[in-house]
Amino acid sequence: QREDSIVVGTSTGATYQLQLLPVKLGGSEKRWVRTKPFQHHSHDVRAVAHSPTALISGGLDAQLVIRPLMEKVQKKGYDAVLRKFTFPHRRLVSCARKARLLLFQFSQHLELWRLGSTEESGKDGEVLPLCRMPEHLVQLKSKGPEHIYCSCVSPCGTWLSYSTASRFHLYRVRCDGDGVSLGKVQVPKVLPPAYQLQFSADSESLFVASARGAVHVLQLLEPGGCKHLHTLRPPSGCPEAVYLLAPSADGHWLAAVSGDWAIHVYNLKCFKHHCVVPTYSCAVTALAIHPSTNNLVVAYSDQQLVEFSIPEQQYTAWSRSVQSRGLHRCWLERDSPITHITFNPKHPSHILLHDTYLFCVLDKSLPLPDDSTPLMNQSTLKQLPETARKRQLHAFKICKKFQPLLFMDLLDENSLVVVERPIMDFKTQLPLPVQQKKFGT
């Protein structure tokens, strides 16, 4: 709410803006007038907010809608686009690449699954027969009423951790023949609840992100124990909690993002602060460190992408060219932020990333598209002859086959695992919307 504007939500899914306007032009008498009705929700609107440039509403339909006030937006761009956010941006799935396991996070329990496999091969779009079906290995229920805030499984599949708002838990996963058992690991009492959890690539360390910019480093011990090694803190202090972590594949570096949007990089060999990535005016939504170059790739909430060399402590030449040229208009106007970034060691120039609606392979060896070039042209390219296809190639290879996309990660050089959850799974669990009177019925 502002002094001259109010936004209200209704049980029919509508949002209204009321403005305090003069009765006569130039007059002193003013009245509240309903100026803008919006019908972007299918269910009850439960929360509304008013920013300087937009109306924001959240409803029982699990959507957050940001509706820009066009008279307050000076130029067309990210702030001028209607945005609908449907899914949680916190990752609810983690992957044990080496063991081919997936950990699913629910509100009060975790499920560990082993992926199925096939011995067949086929063409693009074909569904291959499975020689082994996906297998539900174990369910871990959280004690007490608190929801699970974050969770993670180690790359080797033998460690599992999660945290609620008050407690952090660590388990050792043991495979006994066909069965799986969990053994609880005693954790140091000084360890606070976690805002984010991440195992190292070699599964020998666990990084626990906590309040005030701190990251605790745990050493994982055989046959099932842990030891607190160090607490990493930004040199200037930080009032906010860390919410994203990205370790390097060689175990040398760790990037941590806190609520003040600062990206701190730590040297894990000597447990010292290495550098800070230049600050930017938007939140970080995903980041990852390239396994061979140790370049840090960062995605921001306004859809910008940067690449920062950790050893050289500066933006890379490719990143500078992206910043000078600018990204495609259709890319910048997307609703959904990038939620995960990974890499294919077989193709060092490829950056794999995804949001709720698309999976993208960004090929740094190809030119960036300009606004006159179709951004999502993969289906068109398949139908063109080889010579014409090469003329239209650009850096963004986009797939929109999987929607809504909850998770994507590379299992090995030749296989990718993708988790999607159909929107109807959510809608069938929602309460019935308020019945609306339709004209003529």
Side-chain angles (χ1 to χ4, degrees), residues 25-296:
L25 191 63
S28 59
E29 184 185 354
K30 294 184 177 181
R31 289 182 186 173
W32 286 102
V33 179
R34 194 182 81 181
T35 54
K36 291 186 179 74
F38 307 117
Q39 187 74 47
H40 296 303
H41 293 277
S42 60
H43 289 64
D44 188 355
V45 175
R46 286 294 181 90
V48 291
H50 204 317
S51 80
T53 60
L55 306 180
I56 305 164
S57 58
L60 276 180
D61 56 0
Q63 283 201 134
L64 180 71
V65 177
I66 301 177
R67 178 67 167 83
L69 301 171
M70 298 311 292
E71 70 273 14
K72 301 290 184 181
V73 181
Q74 300 299 319
K75 58 182 180 180
K76 186 170 183 185
Y78 180 83
D79 293 331
V81 181
L82 172 70
R83 305 194 172 274
K84 294 183 180 182
F85 301 100
T86 308
F87 287 87
H89 300 135
R90 175 172 286 275
R91 297 186 70 200
L92 303 179
V93 183
S94 60
C95 177
R97 289 183 178 182
K98 296 172 185 174
R100 301 178 74 87
L101 304 177
L102 287 183
L103 180 69
F104 296 95
Q105 176 185 319
F106 297 86
S107 59
Q108 291 188 304
H109 76 275
L110 301 171
E111 290 185 7
L112 188 65
W113 286 73
R114 179 180 284 123
L115 288 167
S117 59
T118 182
E119 295 175 349
E120 304 290 330
S121 60
K123 297 178 182 178
D124 183 25
E126 288 184 355
V127 178
L128 303 178
L130 295 178
C131 61
R132 191 178 71 190
M133 296 298 291
E135 183 182 357
H136 182 204
L137 299 178
V138 69
Q139 183 180 97
L140 176 61
K141 292 184 179 179
S142 176
K143 294 180 181 178
E146 293 181 329
H147 285 191
I148 296 172
Y149 192 77
C150 58
S151 61
C152 195
V153 63
S154 64
C156 67
T158 60
W159 300 92
L160 184 156
S161 68
Y162 77 93
S163 182
T164 64
S166 62
R167 293 192 66 186
F168 161 71
H169 304 267
L170 178 63
Y171 288 85
R172 182 66 194 263
V173 183
R174 291 183 175 86
C175 295
D176 307 317
D178 294 333
V180 172
S181 63
L182 296 177
K184 185 155 188 170
V185 178
Q186 193 70 28
V187 297
K189 291 182 179 179
V190 295
L191 211 60
Y195 289 88
Q196 185 64 270
L197 295 162
Q198 186 71 51
F199 286 92
S200 61
D202 59 9
S203 300
E204 293 183 1
S205 301
L206 172 62
F207 307 107
V208 181
S210 65
R212 308 193 72 81
V215 180
H216 303 278
V217 184
L218 295 184
Q219 182 182 5
L220 304 174
L221 306 171
E222 295 293 347
C226 69
K227 176 185 175 184
H228 185 266
L229 282 184
H230 198 80
T231 298
L232 304 169
R233 301 182 190 276
S236 57
C238 174
E240 303 284 347
V242 170
Y243 70 94
L244 281 178
L245 293 169
S248 64
D250 60 7
H252 201 123
W253 309 104
L254 176 72
V257 187
S258 49
D260 58 359
W261 302 348
I263 306 174
H264 294 277
V265 180
Y266 298 96
N267 187 325
L268 295 175
K269 297 301 180 184
C270 57
F271 295 116
K272 288 188 177 180
H273 187 269
H274 177 68
C275 67
V276 182
V277 178
T279 54
Y280 188 62
S281 59
C282 288
V284 179
T285 62
L287 77 166
I289 300 175
H290 196 284
S292 58
T293 63
N294 277 334
N295 290 335
L296 177 67

